[in-house]
Amino acid sequence: MDALSYFAHDYAGARDKFREAARTAGARLTEHVNPASGPEGLPLTTDVAALGPPNAATTLIVNSGTHGAEGFFGSAVQVGWLRGRAMRPLPAGLQVVLVHAINPFGFAWLRRTNEDNIDLNRNFIDHDKPHPICPGYDVLHPAILPVEWSEASRAAFAAAYRDYSEEHGETATQAAITAGQYEFADGLFYGGRKPSWSNQLVRRLAAEHTAGSERVHFIDLHTGLGSWSYIEIIHRHLPDSEGEAWLERAYGTHSLGSLARADSVSVASKDGLVEVGVRQALGGKPLIACTLEVGTQPVPQVLEALRADNWLHIHGKLDSDLGRQIKAQVLEAFCRPEPAWRELVSLRGRQILDSTLAGIGG
């Protein structure tokens, strides 16, 4: 089947494709209703499809839509993989759990963040302790979120970015903006002040679906960083650990990026990731985890789209020419329109899932 058909035009279409593919594959389907709503009052759900015995010794969890607007790629990989599994048995002793649109609000509204402007990959920290301080974000915040979106405000941000970089370096500047901040609820990469709805759901799903398992694998599907169509497999396992060794055996070393070794395209903090919540929910069971990060546009363009969208929801008007222009900009930043990009990334994504199954079964 044409790989382009795996991609939907919007959240509702992606949900329909996922549920249809799950039913055809004979999966057990459940849905979890988000308290917010989508455009025109659309109900929002996170849908879960499970294949294989629920008490399997090993469970693989594949998650999409952590950053809502990135869900198009994740959904397409899940749909394509499900369609291809209809007549192919899983390795013995394996359960596969596909979590579709863990952040349905962001997916439906073409936002990276959730219903509370929270970046879910910054939310999985201990909120009972003092929240982390992100050095530099407070200095840059006024330029990141201007009152008006104009050529002048964009030039002011470029100047603030340049000045901060000249004093602190490019890497420190990117980290100041993207590592995660907990002070400005209207800002970018906001981690929240308490566990979000999706945070709580992640933990519950991980605990319930792995109750009978001895080992767990977790893959989170993302876009927006890296070269056009290239997929980096990012992980936070310690150097020379069994987790890193397993990933190298399963995928080779060429496409691996390690947060622990600081050789990844991502400069985000590794402490607030969804993976942290999954690991904590397992009660000490072994976990092999990674993120697939698909390149779309250069970082400055992606950041520009994020800033524009953040401004739009804080100060702008969605139902306006500028609002529609910004939403188109966001979509292109996280799901490229070129057929070649979509065919390449969906194929490679499915190949990585199949390599995961081969590694587990081998």
Side-chain angles (χ1 to χ4, degrees):
M1 184 175 289
D2 182 4
L4 297 180
S5 72
Y6 304 151
F7 285 85
H9 296 293
D10 54 22
Y11 158 78
R15 181 176 188 263
D16 288 344
K17 286 177 181 286
F18 177 79
R19 292 181 64 85
E20 179 185 2
R23 292 191 192 98
T24 300
R28 303 180 299 278
L29 262 173
T30 57
E31 65 177 43
H32 305 268
V33 180
N34 184 274
S37 59
E40 300 181 355
L42 177 71
L44 302 176
T45 64
T46 293
D47 295 275
V48 181
L51 291 152
N55 60 346
T58 303
T59 293
L60 166 63
I61 303 173
V62 182
N63 182 61
S64 73
T66 292
H67 296 137
E70 301 175 24
F72 292 93
F73 160 72
S75 176
V77 170
Q78 291 173 325
V79 167
W81 186 83
L82 279 168
R83 289 179 180 176
R85 296 306 304 182
M87 302 301 293
R88 298 165 59 191
L90 294 173
L94 173 65
Q95 175 188 210
V96 176
V97 178
L98 305 177
V99 181
H100 184 266
I102 192 62
N103 173 13
F105 179 90
F107 200 162
W109 286 101
L110 284 180
R111 300 215 68 197
R112 193 175 189 270
T113 55
N114 78 343
E115 56 274 13
D116 299 309
N117 198 43
I118 291 173
D119 183 320
L120 294 186
N121 254 1
R122 311 296 186 272
N123 188 236
F124 287 81
I125 62 170
D126 187 347
H127 292 279
D128 291 330
K129 295 181 179 179
H131 285 82
I133 301 297
C134 182
Y137 185 89
D138 56 340
V139 175
L140 295 166
H141 178 69
I144 290 172
L145 177 58
V147 175
E148 296 183 356
W149 190 254
S150 63
E151 289 295 334
S153 67
R154 292 197 288 277
F157 171 75
Y161 189 102
R162 182 185 64 248
D163 292 345
Y164 195 91
S165 296
E166 289 177 353
E167 182 175 355
H168 301 280
E170 180 70 18
T171 299
T173 306
Q174 289 188 24
I177 297 172
T178 68
Q181 55 88 16
Y182 299 84
E183 183 178 358
F184 299 89
D186 61 351
L188 286 186
F189 302 97
Y190 174 60
R193 306 292 293 185
K194 62 181 181 180
S196 65
W197 176 86
S198 297
N199 182 321
Q200 297 174 64
L201 180 59
V202 163
R203 296 174 189 274
R204 187 166 75 250
L205 292 175
E208 291 175 355
H209 285 282
T210 66
S213 299
E214 300 170 2
R215 297 168 301 278
V216 180
H217 291 250
F218 176 71
I219 299 176
D220 208 6
L221 304 172
H222 288 258
T223 63
L225 287 176
S227 302
W228 188 90
S229 82
Y230 180 75
I231 298 183
E232 181 176 86
I233 304 172
I234 304 172
H235 70 91
R236 62 192 292 270
H237 292 284
L238 294 176
D240 303 317
S241 64
E242 175 53 33
E244 184 178 67
W246 191 95
L247 294 171
E248 291 176 350
R249 291 194 300 270
Y251 310 129
T253 60
H254 173 69
S255 58
L256 288 186
S258 169
L259 294 178
R261 295 181 184 272
D263 63 3
S264 166
V265 67
S266 173
V267 297
S269 169
K270 62 182 182 296
D271 298 324
L273 306 180
V274 172
E275 174 199 329
V276 173
V278 173
R279 186 178 297 278
Q280 291 172 348
L282 299 183
K285 294 176 183 177
L287 173 68
I288 306 293
C290 64
T291 292
L292 306 192
E293 184 69 60
V294 185
T296 53
Q297 294 178 330
V299 168
Q301 290 178 245
V302 175
L303 181 58
E304 175 88 350
L306 289 176
R307 289 183 55 244
D309 185 65
N310 190 48
W311 172 87
L312 176 62
H313 282 264
I314 301 298
H315 296 305
K317 184 178 180 181
L318 285 170
D319 188 16
S320 66
D321 289 343
L322 179 57
R324 286 182 283 274
Q325 176 186 323
I326 288 173
K327 285 302 179 183
Q329 186 180 357
V330 172
L331 181 59
E332 289 204 6
F334 295 110
C335 183
R336 298 298 305 157
E338 300 92 344
W341 184 92
R342 297 188 174 197
E343 290 174 346
L344 283 168
V345 301
S346 64
L347 173 61
R348 179 61 177 144
R350 298 193 309 276
Q351 288 175 336
I352 292 172
L353 293 194
D354 284 337
S355 294
T356 306
L357 266 60
I360 293 172

